[in-house]
Amino acid sequence: MSDSSLPAPDLHALFAAQQAQRWPAAQTTAAQRQAILRRLHDAVRAHRVPLADALKADLGKSRAEAEITELHPVLEEIQHAIRRLPRWMAPRRVDTPSMLFGARSEVQMQARGVTLILSPWNYPVNLALVPLVASLAAGNTVILKPSEKAPNVARALSDLIGSVFEPRLAAVVEGDGEVARTLTELPFGHIFFTGSGAVGRHVMRAAANNLTGVTLELGGKSPALIDASADLDVTAERLAWGKLLNAGQTCVAPDYVLVPRHLEEPLLRRLEAVIARRFGTGAWLRAGPDYGRMVDSAGVQRLERLTQGSVAQGARVVLGGEFDAPGRFISPTVVSGVTPGMPLMQEELFGPVLPILTYDTPEEALSLIRRLDPPLALYLFSRDEDMIRRVQRETTSGGMVVNGAVVHLTNPNLPFGGVGPSGMGNYHGEHGFRTFSHERAVLREPTPSPVRFMYPPYGRPVLRLAAWALRQLERQSGPRE
């Protein structure tokens, strides 16, 4: 299924084949699903060199960065799921109210059926295969549509999945936006989309026609709030790493910094030193293996336009500022003197340009964060426990890291997802298994059941007695403890 020009009838045929496999897949045992995941694990290991080569071709990722951010997290996710899958699948007993005395209640995890994963280009292996792991663990069939912006990775994923699974269970479909639109019009059991908010809205509208459930992993402007108590050396180190990972093309990369006015210059000095030490300067920055490239020249041109527009309004480039569209290169760029109304603050940057905004009081900084859309991540650098608790109380975000950036993605026990414009739903570990599962309520009513006292006609003395008994129960189990 790797032909990039697949016609719509072939997509319908693939969907029909997976629809036919939907019930056999849903009825697999934990041991059978573990075997499926082990096959995927072995296939990723066998294909890690072609995958790394594809990541290098599409995004300029070094082998080390490919292993750290793409391949190893997928293998960890698979192992995590294999170890815990029997417990995730087991029915959960829940309490039954006294008016249903003798009944037994439980929640069963049920596969959603044929699922669609629309994955992005920025982490094209990780963000394709981690949702795939969750969907297969939940007993679904899967069609995976990688982004056409990373064509080498899309082909490598097609080869990988084709080598281990029959298309009726899991298949990769390559192609452009028209292929994705055709897919979203099909009546999937669930659609999982990672990408921009604009495209996410199109996906949601298409899914609504079939009442298909959706998970949207979007993005937004994730702030890095630096408190007056922060350790600036630690802050600069972790901020630079989180921002410049994958050349800034990370949905949870720090998108802008809020720093106390008197700490701006000390922070800028430390950022410059850290970036030079970690990534190099001059010719080595471009030639070295540690700094990636933008996915296309259009991304370079967009960020150059936003930066120049902000400079025209009074901002100042204090580090970097080199934009090479043909080479898909942007030097690590720090812009100071940025204000909320400038172009750099009007959209998610998704690249290695970091605006610095100053504030005088915590109220001022928190007010700005709340005025903008809820971000996918919020990073707070602080050693003040009162400030940490305050930010937790007075802001919302998909995730939050204290004294770090991006690293919450590496914990499969934490849910990853957005809120409002930054997304809906979440995944990773058991949270991904639940996303791709329907939680089915099952109640077994016993043969001698107290429910019979509720049958009409309602004027019977026994029913009046039952109503009286229910009122007594209310008094005993009302809102007051």
Side-chain angles (χ1 to χ4, degrees):
M1 303 303 299
S2 60
D3 182 357
S4 61
S5 59
L6 266 170
D10 286 351
L11 297 178
H12 286 81
L14 174 60
F15 181 86
Q18 292 208 354
Q19 191 82 297
Q21 184 65 18
R22 176 250 195 277
W23 287 111
Q27 296 173 70
T28 49
T29 64
Q32 289 171 319
R33 295 184 195 178
Q34 286 172 318
I36 288 171
L37 294 176
R38 288 190 187 98
R39 285 158 53 197
L40 179 60
H41 183 275
D42 292 346
V44 173
R45 292 186 64 184
H47 286 77
R48 69 194 313 160
V49 172
L51 289 170
D53 289 344
L55 288 164
K56 177 69 174 176
D58 287 336
L59 290 160
K61 290 195 182 188
S62 68
R63 179 63 186 270
E65 185 174 339
E67 290 285 346
I68 292 169
T69 66
E70 301 263 14
L71 303 176
H72 183 71
V74 170
L75 295 172
E76 283 286 316
E77 188 80 18
I78 298 172
Q79 292 170 345
H80 181 84
I82 289 172
R83 288 193 295 267
R84 292 161 175 79
L85 189 54
R87 177 174 60 82
W88 297 348
M89 290 178 62
R92 303 195 314 275
R93 289 288 298 272
V94 295
D95 291 339
T96 302
S98 53
M99 65 178 291
L100 297 175
F101 179 78
R104 188 177 73 181
S105 303
E106 66 181 26
V107 178
Q108 296 178 351
M109 306 306 291
Q110 199 171 51
R112 291 189 178 274
V114 186
T115 60
L116 172 64
I117 297 171
L118 301 170
S119 62
W121 54 262
N122 58 324
Y123 289 89
V125 175
N126 187 325
L127 298 182
L129 295 186
V130 170
L132 176 72
V133 171
S135 189
L136 291 174
N140 300 296
T141 61
V142 189
I143 295 175
L144 168 62
K145 163 64 176 71
S147 171
E148 66 275 17
K149 283 193 171 186
N152 293 287
V153 173
R155 181 55 53 90
L157 288 172
S158 182
D159 292 343
L160 185 156
I161 299 302
S163 73
V164 71
F165 297 128
E166 294 183 8
R168 62 182 179 174
L169 177 62
V172 173
V173 171
E174 297 176 62
D176 57 14
E178 189 57 40
V179 171
R181 279 189 289 274
T182 300
L183 286 168
T184 57
E185 293 169 357
L186 297 173
F188 283 93
H190 195 77
I191 296 177
F192 189 103
F193 169 79
T194 304
S196 71
V199 178
R201 288 178 173 85
H202 288 297
V203 171
M204 197 169 182
R205 279 193 289 268
N209 292 328
N210 294 305
L211 297 180
T212 295
V214 297
T215 299
L216 302 178
E217 297 296 339
L218 307 177
K221 298 188 74 63
S222 295
L225 173 57
I226 300 173
D227 177 46
S229 68
D231 182 323
L232 287 187
D233 291 322
V234 170
T235 298
E237 189 80 57
R238 298 175 184 178
L239 188 60
W241 176 75
K243 178 62 179 179
L244 299 178
L245 191 67
N246 199 32
Q249 298 165 117
T250 304
C251 58
V252 289
D255 202 80
Y256 65 99
V257 174
L258 287 163
V259 62
R261 193 176 305 277
H262 69 283
L263 293 181
E264 181 185 22
E265 286 303 322
L267 176 67
L268 292 175
R269 289 196 300 271
R270 286 167 171 82
L271 282 174
E272 182 175 10
V274 166
I275 291 170
R277 184 171 69 251
R278 295 297 180 194
F279 299 97
T281 58
W284 177 250
L285 177 65
R286 295 194 64 146
D290 300 313
Y291 187 65
R293 295 293 182 270
M294 299 292 287
V295 71
D296 56 26
S297 60
V300 178
Q301 293 166 343
R302 181 180 66 88
L303 283 174
E304 183 175 19
R305 183 178 68 253
L306 295 175
T307 301
Q308 290 179 345
S310 298
V311 168
Q313 294 182 22
R316 181 169 60 97
V317 175
V318 294
L319 180 65
E322 181 183 354
F323 297 86
D324 175 8
R328 297 186 293 138
F329 175 83
I330 301 176
S331 61
T333 297
V334 178
V335 185
S336 69
V338 176
T339 60
M342 290 182 178
L344 282 171
M345 290 298 294
Q346 302 312 304
E347 59 186 80
E348 183 180 7
L349 300 182
F350 223 68
V353 177
L354 185 62
I356 308 291
L357 289 79
T358 59
Y359 67 89
D360 295 309
T361 66
E363 289 78 11
E364 180 185 349
L366 293 173
S367 176
L368 173 61
I369 292 172
R370 289 194 296 261
R371 284 205 309 272
L372 300 177
D373 288 338
L376 188 54
L378 187 153
Y379 305 117
L380 171 64
F381 293 89
S382 176
R383 291 179 289 188
D384 183 338
E385 288 299 323
D386 289 337
M387 183 62 178
I388 293 170
R389 286 191 290 270
R390 180 179 181 184
V391 174
Q392 290 174 332
R393 287 194 311 267
E394 298 184 17
T395 64
T396 186
S397 61
M400 177 177 174
V401 181
V402 178
N403 294 319
V406 180
V407 291
H408 59 304
L409 300 183
T410 64
N411 185 350
N413 298 294
L414 288 173
F416 177 75
V419 56
S422 60
M424 62 175 63
N426 51 56
Y427 71 121
H428 285 189
E430 185 175 5
H431 305 283
F433 174 81
R434 290 179 179 273
T435 285
F436 283 100
S437 299
H438 166 61
E439 297 190 61
R440 187 184 199 181
V442 178
L443 185 142
R444 297 188 182 188
E445 185 177 353
T447 300
S449 172
V451 177
R452 67 183 185 276
F453 297 118
M454 303 178 195
Y455 299 158
Y458 294 115
R460 291 180 297 146
V462 67
L463 199 61
R464 291 199 298 272
L465 179 62
W468 175 85
L470 289 175
R471 289 195 297 273
Q472 304 314 304
L473 288 174
E474 290 172 8
R475 293 191 179 98
Q476 295 177 19
S477 60
R480 292 184 297 174
E481 293 295 333

